[in-house]
Amino acid sequence: DIVLTQSPALAVSLGQRATISCKTNQNVDYYGNSYMHWYQQKPGQQPKLLIYLASNLASGIPARFSGRGSGTDFTLTIDPVEADDTATYYCQQSRNLPNTFGAGTKLELK
Amino acid sequence: QVQLQQSGAELAKPGSSVKISCKASGYTFTSYDISWIKQTTGQGLEYIGYINTGSGGTYYNEKFKGKATLTVDKSSSTAFMQLSSLTPEDTAVYYCARRLQWWVDYWGQGVMVTVSS
């Protein structure tokens, strides 16, 4: 199975930029696409899709969220951070089955 | 709007089975697969598998073969997951999610399954 590694936590001030990283132990690119996706989960809620195929913004997601990366290194950026962005962020790969998730990065405000 | 409504929390005894449901609305049910995902504090998010809602064909993560059984009822736009031979390690929140070809977009609200004697 592909392993995804995320930092456990990140603290950012309101209005600043948050950069969340996700590294994989295998390349998740295939025929021009990077099969990496990002989800936001707030306490007591289900995850919500933010970014698909590494850099595509999901429907209804504010442009403050963006994703980039390829191969084995990916980032989710939130700029500027708002109070409502405190949550845990998960990356997920779908290059191989079983799809696997990172352990999540908890975003907190300073 | 797309909605996935899951059944309520379950309290089950070790060795028993539970069957949880996921009722879809707001889209053509048979046009998308349904994925199932387990969430625990210790193991995080784990992909159980998915079911093709049109054909009933399934994929299971090796780890969940023999544990989870996925089915659908097209007439009611509902997907089901049965968990068998329950142990305390099966205590978790279980989500269904609509599967596009390469990612999931909409998630159900989750079902808490607690296994305890």
Side-chain angles (χ1 to χ4, degrees), chain A residues 1-66:
Chain A
D1 297 1
I2 296 178
V3 176
L4 285 65
T5 301
Q6 297 182 247
S7 298
L10 178 67
V12 178
S13 301
L14 275 175
Q16 298 303 304
R17 174 184 298 170
T19 301
I20 297 169
S21 71
C22 177
K23 297 183 187 299
T24 63
N25 68 345
Q26 297 179 40
N27 192 320
V28 299
D29 293 352
Y30 188 66
Y31 280 98
N33 286 318
S34 295
Y35 290 90
M36 179 60 70
H37 323 292
W38 292 91
Y39 302 87
Q40 176 195 65
Q41 186 177 33
K42 297 180 179 179
Q45 296 185 18
Q46 67 269 52
K48 176 168 58 172
L49 176 67
L50 298 175
I51 300 287
Y52 62 93
L53 294 176
S55 61
N56 296 278
L57 200 63
S59 176
I61 303 301
R64 301 184 292 104
F65 292 87
S66 63

Side-chain angles (χ1 to χ4, degrees), chain B residues 3-4 6 9-11 15 18 21 30 32-33 35 45 48 69 71 75 86 95 103 105 108 110 113:
Chain B
Q3 288 191 330
L4 297 172
Q6 296 187 243
E10 299 271 3
L11 174 60
V18 296
S21 66
T30 52
Y32 300 88
D33 300 341
S35 291
L45 292 162
I48 297 170
T69 303
T71 56
S75 68
L86 291 168
Y95 293 101
W103 62 92
D105 57 357
V113 174

